[in-house]
Amino acid sequence: MMKKWTMLLALLLATVFCFPGALAEQEAVESTGDNGGGQLVSHVYEPGDIASGLLAQAFGQEHGTMIVAEVRGEGIPLEAEMPDLVLRLGVAFSQGARLELGLRESQENVGFDIALDADAQGLAIASDLLPDERYTMNWETLLGMNLEEMTAGLLGTLEPLMEPYVAIVDEFMQELSVKEFYDVPEEYGFPAVAYEIYITCTHAQAAELLTRLADQLEGDGQLAPVLDVMLASQGLGSAAIVEMMRGAAGSLAQSEGHFVLGAGTNYDAAAEPWYVIVTNTQEDGATDEWYLSFEPYAEENTPYFFDLGYSQTLVDGSLGDGMQLIVGILSIPDTALTGWGVQLTVSEGETDTGLLRISALKRPTTTEEGLPGYGGEVYIGVGNPEIVMEYEHEMNAFMTPDGGEAFTLEGTLCPDAAQSADTYAFTLEAGVEPGPDGLQGRGRLMIGTEDMPELTGLSFELHEAEPLQLGGTDVALESLSEEQLSALIERFTTALSGCLEAMPVRQTAE
C-alpha cells in the first residue's frame, strides 16, 4: 500500500511545477496556423512571462468572470469508507479578488460553500453554513495598525529622527582601518576584479559603537516613543532594544577579536564580477566567514552565477560547520534550452552532510500541425550527501488545432533510494479551450507505482461561472465582543460538523 505522505508529496510537487503562476497575465506567444490567433496558457518556467493565454483573458474580463475547478478523487479504494466528494475552487479578479471553496458529496449534493472577498478596504467572508450574515474586517483592524498613519509616520517622521544615529555611524566609520587594492587577480575562489576594499573593525570598536547608539536611544525623546508604539504588539520597545545593544556591547568589549568587511568589483555590478565578504575573528583565532559573489559565466552555459556561503574555522585551523548555496541561470549555446539551477551543500568539517539540487529547463517546441508550444523538465534531488530522494518530470504545453491549449506531464518520485524504496510514477493530461459558455477545460492527475501507474489520483473540470451569492447582512467583526466572537465560532463549527456528518458514505466492499 502506498504511504499517504508519499502520495501527497508527489501530488504537491506535480501541482506546484505544473501550474507555475497561473494567475499572472504577461506577454503572449501568438500561434501560427489557423486557430483563431490563440495564445499559450503557460510559458513554461519563463520568469515574468507566465500564464498569458486563455486563462489570463478570462481573468481579465471586466464583468468579473470566475474560473471554477471541480476536483474529484479517482482510484480511491471502496474500503476507505468515505464520501464521494467534489472539491470546488473558484477564483475571480474584478475590483478586488474572490476565492470560493466548496465541498460536496457528488450524489446527494450535501455540502457547503465559503467565499472570501478582498479589496482595498479589507476582507469579507460568507458561507451558506451561516446564510443570514456576511462578516467583514478592514485592513487596519486585520493587521492591528492604521496603515495610512503608519506609512505617513515612517516616511515623514523616521527620516529626520534617524539623523543623529547616521551622524554617529558616519563618525565611527572615519575611525576604522581601510585598505584598498587595484587590479586584484583571482584568488581563494573569488574572481579577478579591478578594485577591492577591506574595512577592519575590532570588537572593542564595535562595542563602542553599540554603546554610543544605546546612549543616544536611551535619552531620545523623539525616536524612542515612535519605536515603543511600533513594537508594542510584539511586546518590545526602545528599552528592550537598548538592553540588547548594551548586552552585545558588553560581550564584544571583553574580546580582542575583529570584524573584516571586504568587497571587490569591476565598477559595473550589473555585468561584471563582484563579491562581498564578512569575517568575524574571535580572540582565540577561530573565524566565521560569510560571503556572496556574482560572476558571469563562472561555469560553462551559466550566464549568471551567484554563490552564497558560510564557513567556520576552528582554533586548531580545522574546518567547522559550513554551507554553500549556488544559483545559476542557465542558457545553453546552440540550443533553445534556458532555465535555472540551485545547489545547496551543508558540511561538518571536511565532510558534506547534506545536499539539495534543483534544476528546471524549458525549450520552445512545435507540434506536427506547426503550432507553438513549450517543453520542460524539472529535477529535485536530496541527499546526505549521496542522493537518496529524487523527483523529476518532463512536460509539454502546446496549442491545439481548435484554438485550445493542452498540457501533459510524466514524472517519477523515489522517496528513499538508499533503502531501495518503490519508485512512484505520475501522469497529468489537461487542456482548456473556448466553449459556447466561455472557457472550459478538463484534466486528470494520476499516481501509482511503476507497475501500477494509475493507482489513485484526481480529475478536474474547468469552466467559467458567475460568483456565488452567499451571506446576508454585513457584520463587522471588529464590532463583536469576545463573547459574541466565541459564539460565532461555535455556531460555524457546529454547522460545519453537522454538514460533514450528513454526507453519505459510499458502500464498502463486500
Side-chain angles (χ1 to χ4, degrees), residues 5-202:
W5 73 266
T6 303
M7 181 186 72
L8 292 174
L9 175 61
L11 289 175
L12 175 63
L13 290 171
T15 303
V16 167
F17 285 103
C18 291
F19 304 103
L23 305 182
E25 181 174 4
Q26 301 290 340
E27 298 178 6
V29 171
E30 296 293 342
S31 66
T32 57
D34 184 16
N35 60 1
Q39 300 167 335
L40 284 176
V41 168
S42 177
H43 296 183
V44 183
Y45 309 124
E46 183 75 6
D49 193 14
I50 299 173
S52 52
L54 295 176
L55 284 176
Q57 293 173 23
F59 280 130
Q61 294 178 11
E62 294 183 359
H63 65 276
T65 297
M66 173 163 286
I67 305 299
V68 174
E70 295 183 353
V71 185
R72 294 173 170 83
E74 288 200 12
I76 299 175
L78 289 177
E79 58 268 20
E81 295 190 14
M82 60 179 293
D84 188 8
L85 299 176
V86 178
L87 175 65
R88 181 183 184 276
L89 296 172
V91 181
F93 297 94
S94 179
Q95 306 299 319
R98 162 170 276 222
L99 174 64
E100 294 181 356
L101 171 65
L103 187 65
R104 297 191 175 275
E105 197 278 330
S106 61
Q107 301 300 320
E108 302 295 332
N109 198 33
V110 177
F112 63 89
D113 290 291
I114 299 174
L116 178 67
D117 292 287
D119 57 22
Q121 284 69 48
L123 298 178
I125 186 169
S127 173
D128 51 5
L129 294 171
L130 301 174
D132 298 329
E133 297 170 331
R134 188 180 78 137
Y135 300 93
T136 65
M137 179 175 287
N138 59 47
W139 290 116
E140 287 81 2
T141 302
L142 185 65
L143 299 177
M145 63 187 71
N146 187 306
L147 296 181
E148 292 183 1
E149 290 183 3
M150 179 181 176
T151 302
L154 287 175
L155 297 180
T157 304
L158 283 184
E159 186 174 352
L161 296 183
M162 293 301 297
E163 290 180 359
Y165 301 89
V166 173
I168 291 174
V169 173
D170 184 62
E171 182 180 351
F172 166 77
M173 293 296 294
Q174 306 302 318
E175 303 169 358
L176 299 181
S177 170
V178 178
K179 295 182 179 180
E180 298 175 287
F181 304 91
Y182 298 90
D183 297 325
V184 181
E186 180 180 354
E187 58 183 352
Y188 306 116
F190 293 97
V193 291
Y195 174 75
E196 189 176 63
I197 182 173
Y198 280 91
I199 304 173
T200 301
C201 171
T202 67

Side-chain angles (χ1 to χ4, degrees), residues 320-446:
D321 296 336
M323 180 277 292
Q324 183 181 39
L325 175 65
I326 298 174
V327 180
I329 308 299
L330 309 176
S331 179
I332 301 178
D334 302 323
T335 74
L337 283 173
T338 59
W340 52 268
V342 174
Q343 178 169 304
L344 172 64
T345 305
V346 179
S347 59
E348 293 181 5
E350 301 285 349
T351 305
D352 291 341
T353 57
L355 178 65
L356 170 65
R357 288 178 182 160
I358 304 176
S359 64
L361 293 172
K362 71 103 178 180
R363 60 188 179 278
T365 60
T366 304
T367 66
E368 294 181 356
E369 294 84 3
L371 303 177
Y374 279 93
E377 56 191 64
V378 166
Y379 172 84
I380 301 176
V382 180
N384 58 352
E386 298 297 326
I387 295 294
V388 295
M389 190 282 281
E390 287 187 298
Y391 165 92
E392 54 187 330
H393 76 234
E394 294 185 1
M395 55 164 291
N396 286 282
F398 49 90
M399 299 294 302
T400 56
D402 58 3
E405 304 158 16
F407 187 95
T408 64
L409 179 147
E410 294 183 358
T412 59
L413 170 68
C414 181
D416 195 345
Q419 299 297 325
S420 300
D422 290 337
T423 296
Y424 299 102
F426 48 90
T427 59
L428 171 67
E429 296 181 355
V432 293
E433 61 187 11
D437 299 319
L439 177 74
Q440 62 185 27
R442 63 196 55 82
R444 189 166 179 260
L445 173 63
M446 300 299 293

Side-chain angles (χ1 to χ4, degrees), residues 231-243:
L231 302 177
S233 61
Q234 307 297 322
L236 298 174
S238 60
I241 297 175
V242 169
E243 183 179 353

